[in-house]
Amino acid sequence: MSGQYASPPRRPATAHRRYLVEAMCGALALFAASLIACAWVDPYGERDDTQIHFVSRPVTIAKYRRILGETQQTLVFGTSRSHQFSDQFLGESVLNLHAVYGHPTSVLAFLKTLSVSQRRNISRIVYLLDLHTFRPDGPIIDRYYESPADVLRYHLTNLRGYGRDSINHLRLLWSGAHAMHLHPRGFLVQDRPLTFDGIGRDTPDSQDFDPAIVKRLAEVKVFAETNSIEIRFITPVFSDIHLRRLDASRLIAQRRTFAATIGSYAELSHFPGISDRPELFRDESHLNADGLHALFATYPWPERRVDAETMEPLMRDLAGATGTGG
């Protein structure tokens, strides 16, 4: 014996590379399978909007733009508090653009990119001005994913959400437990009775707002006037319970900024005969179908119109509803 130990044999480097390649191929195969499975489930109705669906996402905006190019529509912009605005309540064909949401920059971008024929197909615009859509960090949605490459890129970068929506889609279909479903024109349809129990549980929305963002509403108004489109700016209806949980001074400051920017709007936050009836809400800040029927029965709400003459009485009413008095 020489007294020296031989080095243990080394695994060839090619074996390591082979294992790495196999692992990468497995991961890619799993990724591709997930993407294909989500596309088969089709949670957003991109492939087949004749089936029942439950959610809208920015990737569905291209479909709504195509619809507007073919038929006359009333456009609804806003948040979850306007997501149920539909033909049933407005009495005409509605294209609900909850997927665009309510930030003025998003709304203006959508309108400005419409073709001449699409603009002519707008019957009118209903724009819900919610508490939380004028924040500096508000979501701005100005991409519409109209080409196949753009759609694929959206799904690749949002695969986790795409998968979550696909799983939830199958769960709701199989269980039949859905309280609402999404119409192909973007509005929610209530499938079973939903009634607020009168107990406030929601965390109130942020009431932060940037006056500079609110002032972009003036540009939306100018667009409508330039294109001879009727536009109605409105605020959401809240239950009395929810109103009492809001900061009255910030709420009224926001409303005064609305009026200073667009001149007039419908102040619906405290709506006598609705706000004090929990059975007309599905939770403390969202009307149910019965509540929407009651609300739109008096459209366009001339008695709730804010202008130079009605501003102070309506603001006093709002202050009283929040529990701060006149």
Side-chain angles (χ1 to χ4, degrees):
M1 295 182 63
S2 63
Q4 295 181 345
Y5 294 98
S7 298
R10 292 184 179 181
R11 182 172 293 182
T14 54
H16 289 286
R17 286 197 294 268
R18 185 175 67 251
Y19 295 149
L20 181 60
V21 169
E22 289 175 353
M24 291 177 63
C25 288
L28 287 171
L30 183 60
F31 183 84
S34 300
L35 192 62
I36 292 168
C38 291
W40 177 80
V41 173
D42 191 24
Y44 310 139
E46 299 168 85
R47 181 169 43 83
D48 180 7
D49 64 8
T50 64
Q51 304 300 314
I52 193 169
H53 295 92
F54 305 102
V55 292
S56 60
R57 293 288 183 257
V59 75
T60 60
I61 296 173
K63 176 177 67 176
Y64 301 147
R65 288 162 64 88
R66 289 194 296 271
I67 291 171
L68 186 58
E70 298 165 358
T71 54
Q72 287 270 325
Q73 300 290 334
T74 288
L75 304 188
V76 173
F77 294 100
T79 65
S80 60
R81 296 183 176 115
S82 57
H83 204 180
Q84 266 187 275
F85 289 11
S86 69
D87 309 16
Q88 181 182 10
F89 308 113
L90 275 75
E92 55 199 62
S93 188
V94 167
L95 189 62
N96 194 304
L97 294 162
H98 175 263
V100 175
Y101 216 58
H103 194 289
T105 301
S106 303
V107 172
L108 197 61
F110 179 89
L111 293 171
K112 284 187 171 182
T113 56
L114 296 176
S115 67
V116 173
S117 61
Q118 287 171 322
R119 296 180 188 196
R120 288 174 179 165
N121 278 341
I122 301 174
S123 301
R124 58 179 159 135
I125 297 171
V126 177
Y127 188 169
L128 183 130
L129 310 177
D130 215 333
L131 294 173
H132 57 287
T133 46
F134 301 93
R135 294 165 51 187
D137 60 346
I140 295 175
I141 298 166
D142 55 5
R143 292 194 61 189
Y144 311 124
Y145 307 99
E146 296 186 282
S147 73
D150 280 344
V151 171
L152 179 61
R153 189 177 302 113
Y154 175 86
H155 289 318
L156 289 174
T157 56
N158 295 277
L159 187 58
R160 180 176 294 181
Y162 195 22
R164 183 174 58 250
D165 287 339
S166 296
I167 292 169
N168 194 49
H169 179 88
L170 292 175
R171 181 184 64 80
L172 290 171
L173 280 182
W174 289 339
S175 68
H178 50 87
M180 295 184 175
H181 71 271
L182 189 72
H183 188 277
R185 281 187 275 112
F187 50 81
L188 287 176
V189 178
Q190 189 173 311
D191 297 322
R192 58 181 174 83
L194 294 170
T195 304
F196 174 42
D197 61 9
I199 301 173
R201 298 183 179 88
D202 292 352
T203 300
D205 295 318
S206 169
Q207 292 183 247
D208 293 340
F209 73 96
D210 183 342
I213 295 174
V214 174
K215 287 179 180 178
R216 297 220 71 187
L217 292 173
E219 297 178 64
V220 177
K221 183 180 180 182
V222 167
F223 174 91
E225 292 172 343
T226 302
N227 290 275
S228 302
I229 301 168
E230 176 190 342
I231 185 166
R232 298 278 180 179
F233 295 100
I234 70 174
T235 60
V237 180
F238 297 126
S239 69
D240 285 347
I241 291 169
H242 193 73
L243 280 167
R244 288 193 291 269
R245 301 175 67 197
L246 298 177
D247 183 304
S249 61
R250 297 170 79 185
L251 179 64
I252 292 172
Q254 185 191 60
R255 299 324 199 221
R256 291 187 184 280
T257 308
F258 290 161
T261 301
I262 53 181
S264 179
Y265 72 95
E267 178 50 64
L268 308 181
S269 302
H270 176 239
F271 203 102
I274 296 179
S275 292
D276 57 346
R277 296 177 60 191
E279 70 272 16
L280 297 181
F281 291 80
R282 53 187 166 97
D283 60 38
E284 65 183 83
S285 66
H286 293 79
L287 291 169
N288 60 25
D290 291 338
L292 288 168
H293 275 300
L295 175 66
F296 280 96
T298 57
Y299 178 88
W301 316 289
E303 73 285 357
R304 309 302 301 175
R305 182 175 179 268
V306 172
D307 57 25
E309 293 183 2
T310 62
M311 166 69 81
E312 295 312 319
L314 285 170
M315 292 303 103
R316 283 196 297 271
D317 174 74
L318 195 53
T322 60
T324 59

